[in-house]
Amino acid sequence: ALGAALAALATARTARLPALSAASTPFNAAVLSRCPSLHAPAVTPAVLSNGHVETILAALIRRPPPGIAYERSLLKMGDGGTVALDTLAAPPPGCAPLPADSPVLVVLPGLTGGSHDPYVQHLAAQAARAGMRAVVFNSRGTSDGPVTTPQFYSASFTGDLAAVIAHVASAWPAAPLVAAGYSLGANILVNYLGEVGSETPLAAAVSLCNPFDLVVADAAFARGFNRLYDANLARS
């Protein structure tokens, strides 16, 4: 569904349909017609009875897809910081090589996450099957990336993302550029979009599981069963 949504958004933007708004009926129709899951009721197995079960079961049983290997490039920031960009070294099984003008998907993992996480690897593989090239943006110090400055990453720090998007846009100038962020990555992505507005090179973006109010989200980690997640994130 995510791949279909991004492809629909990129296609609509390329066709110069109106920008997304309540009044942009052609744009909305183009997206909804390709993504029925956006307006159909969500149906989950009975065993997935609540958010805790969904979160823990996925963490325990999800495995990386087969045939995933990355090529890594280190991108230096203006202040001397370093981020790691990972792309698939070869197409996943059953996928043909992507041409240079294939849409490029910039992936922002969640807190402590990176290209090593199974959910990110599954997204990279699904993107390839949908004809898109995934570029995983590993923030400073994540997924074995080096820490070369005191400046780390946070939801309010969008400078690295802006540099990464500019770099990717220049690396594949003929390709439509889209982005998807998970959790904290989604928060950084939306903050960036709010700052740059229509000046962004992105044709489309998707925010997934965004903790929009970080103060409330952080306080929730200190209550009840959520302490388990807090400790797990600290270990990561």
Side-chain angles (χ1 to χ4, degrees), residues 3 22 25 59 74 91 106 155 161 181 184 201 228:
T25 303
L74 299 179
V106 178
L161 176 58
L184 182 67
L228 176 68

Side-chain angles (χ1 to χ4, degrees), residues 138-207:
N138 298 291
S139 293
R140 304 184 187 204
T142 63
S143 199
D144 292 327
V147 178
T148 55
T149 59
Q151 172 68 54
F152 205 47
Y153 72 94
S154 70
S156 61
F157 181 57
T158 60
D160 285 356
L161 176 58
V164 166
I165 289 175
H167 170 79
V168 173
S170 65
W172 288 278
L177 185 61
V178 297
Y182 287 91
S183 192
L184 182 67
N187 200 282
I188 295 171
L189 175 60
V190 171
N191 277 336
Y192 158 80
L193 291 171
E195 291 171 0
V196 302
S198 60
E199 298 302 312
T200 179
L202 294 177
V206 175
S207 167

Side-chain angles (χ1 to χ4, degrees), residues 19-113:
L20 182 59
S21 71
S24 60
T25 303
F27 186 96
N28 293 342
V31 174
L32 292 174
S33 67
R34 291 167 172 80
C35 308
S37 61
L38 292 177
H39 52 84
V43 179
T44 58
V47 67
L48 300 179
S49 55
N50 61 61
H52 294 305
V53 175
E54 293 176 6
T55 300
I56 294 172
L57 193 62
L60 292 176
I61 69 173
R62 184 188 284 132
R63 294 293 180 266
I68 294 296
Y70 291 112
E71 288 182 348
R72 169 162 289 190
S73 61
L74 299 179
L75 183 63
K76 282 287 186 182
M77 301 291 102
D79 67 344
T82 307
V83 301
L85 303 180
D86 287 334
T87 57
L88 293 182
C95 292
L98 296 172
D101 61 350
S102 297
V104 178
L105 169 63
V106 178
V107 181
L108 287 80
L111 180 64
T112 78

